[in-house]
């Protein structure tokens, strides 16, 4: 009996490989596709560089994506393209079943957690690696935690019920994050960064739930 595949809207890795992919940004070696939104975000981070986070953020991000790619290679699934957009990174791959999707989704946060022992030598790298792992483990369909949860639910209750459960989780969690970010930014005087972080999360979720 073949294993069920995840519904398309929960898929973090684009499996529609036969359809031509338009490149709106700079491409390197046909694999890395950097969109203008991502380039602008990185340039802004480099310019502002709050608490010296630019370099540790970049290193933590590279380790995160390498975790996904390593899992794909070990499972004999070809990684096709890594798209970097304002809403985050999307890795295009060959077809995966739910077990493979679960493993590959969690491989990115696991790679970040492997960097924690360097905390004594580079505390900021360990801190940003932990934050990146926790961020990606949020149970949104657009993030690694959501993909892993969706894969598990699809195996447990079927794709139709899994889709409904993930949609409900996305709505409730999205509202919660929006309220908390406004509270942290305004009431706790956290400034611009909590609101920006929440906006990026909701943007990524919206693009994944309602693709054009």
């Amino acid at each position: 009996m073949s294993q069920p595949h995840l519904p398309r809207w929960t898929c973090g890795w684009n499996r529609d490989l036969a359809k031509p992919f338009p490149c709106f940004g700079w491409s390197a070696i046909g694999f890395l596709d950097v969109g203008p939104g991502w380039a602008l975000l990185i340039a802004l981070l480099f310019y502002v560089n709050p608490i010296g986070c630019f370099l540790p953020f970049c290193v933590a991000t590279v380790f995160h994506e390498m975790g996904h790619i390593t899992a794909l290679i070990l499972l004999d699934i070809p990684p096709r393209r890594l798209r970097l957009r304002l809403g985050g990174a999307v890795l295009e791959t060959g077809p995966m079943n739910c077990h493979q999707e679960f493993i590959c989704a969690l491989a990115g946060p696991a790679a970040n957690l492997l960097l924690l022992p360097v905390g004594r030598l580079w505390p900021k790298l360990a801190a940003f690696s932990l934050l990146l792992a926790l961020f990606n483990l949020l149970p949104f369909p657009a993030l690694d935690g959501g993909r892993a949860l969706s894969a598990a639910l699809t195996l447990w209750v079927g794709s139709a019920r899994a889709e409904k459960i993930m949609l409900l989780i996305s709505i409730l969690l999205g509202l919660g994050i929006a309220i908390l970010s406004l509270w942290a930014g305004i009431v706790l005087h956290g400034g611009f960064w909590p609101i920006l972080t929440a906006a990026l999360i909701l943007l990524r979720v919206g693009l994944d739930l309602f693709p054009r």
Side-chain angles (χ1 to χ4, degrees):
M1 180 176 179
S2 60
Q3 296 179 13
H5 288 263
L6 294 181
R8 183 169 178 77
W9 72 271
T10 64
C11 177
W13 292 276
N14 184 2
R15 302 187 184 96
D16 192 10
L17 301 177
K19 185 176 181 180
F21 177 78
C23 178
F24 298 104
W26 172 77
S27 264
I29 324 176
F31 177 75
L32 182 62
D33 175 27
V34 182
W38 175 268
L40 180 62
L41 181 64
I42 292 298
L44 178 64
L45 186 62
F46 179 77
Y47 177 76
V48 178
N49 197 25
I51 61 172
C53 69
F54 177 76
L55 185 57
F57 171 79
C58 290
V59 173
T61 301
V62 169
F63 265 80
H64 182 91
E65 297 305 327
M66 287 304 300
H68 290 310
I69 293 173
T70 300
L72 289 168
I73 293 173
L74 291 176
L75 291 172
D76 199 26
I77 301 168
R80 306 294 191 186
R81 178 174 294 179
L82 177 62
R83 294 187 292 156
L84 301 177
R85 295 292 186 267
L86 181 61
V90 176
L91 190 59
E92 293 182 353
T93 77
M96 285 187 287
N97 60 40
C98 291
H99 288 101
Q100 293 168 329
E101 182 97 20
F102 182 86
I103 294 171
C104 291
L106 295 182
N112 285 130
L113 295 179
L114 290 177
L115 288 176
L116 295 184
V118 306
R120 291 187 178 182
L121 300 176
W122 197 354
K124 288 180 180 178
L125 176 59
F128 276 96
S129 294
L130 179 60
L131 288 174
L132 191 60
L134 294 177
F135 168 80
N136 277 279
L137 287 174
L138 289 173
F140 280 119
L143 300 176
D144 298 329
R147 295 183 195 119
L149 178 58
S150 182
L153 286 173
T154 300
L155 288 171
W156 186 27
V157 299
S159 60
R161 293 186 64 184
E163 183 175 344
K164 294 178 181 178
I165 293 172
M166 293 304 300
L167 180 60
L168 179 61
I169 290 174
S170 297
I171 294 173
L172 295 178
L173 189 58
L175 288 174
I177 287 179
I179 294 171
L180 286 176
S181 65
L182 289 174
W183 180 69
I186 298 173
V187 178
L188 298 182
H189 306 288
F192 176 69
W193 293 105
I195 299 175
L196 175 61
T197 301
L200 290 175
I201 294 174
L202 296 177
L203 173 63
R204 177 64 184 272
V205 172
L207 290 174
D208 199 70
L209 290 177
F210 308 104
R212 292 180 296 176

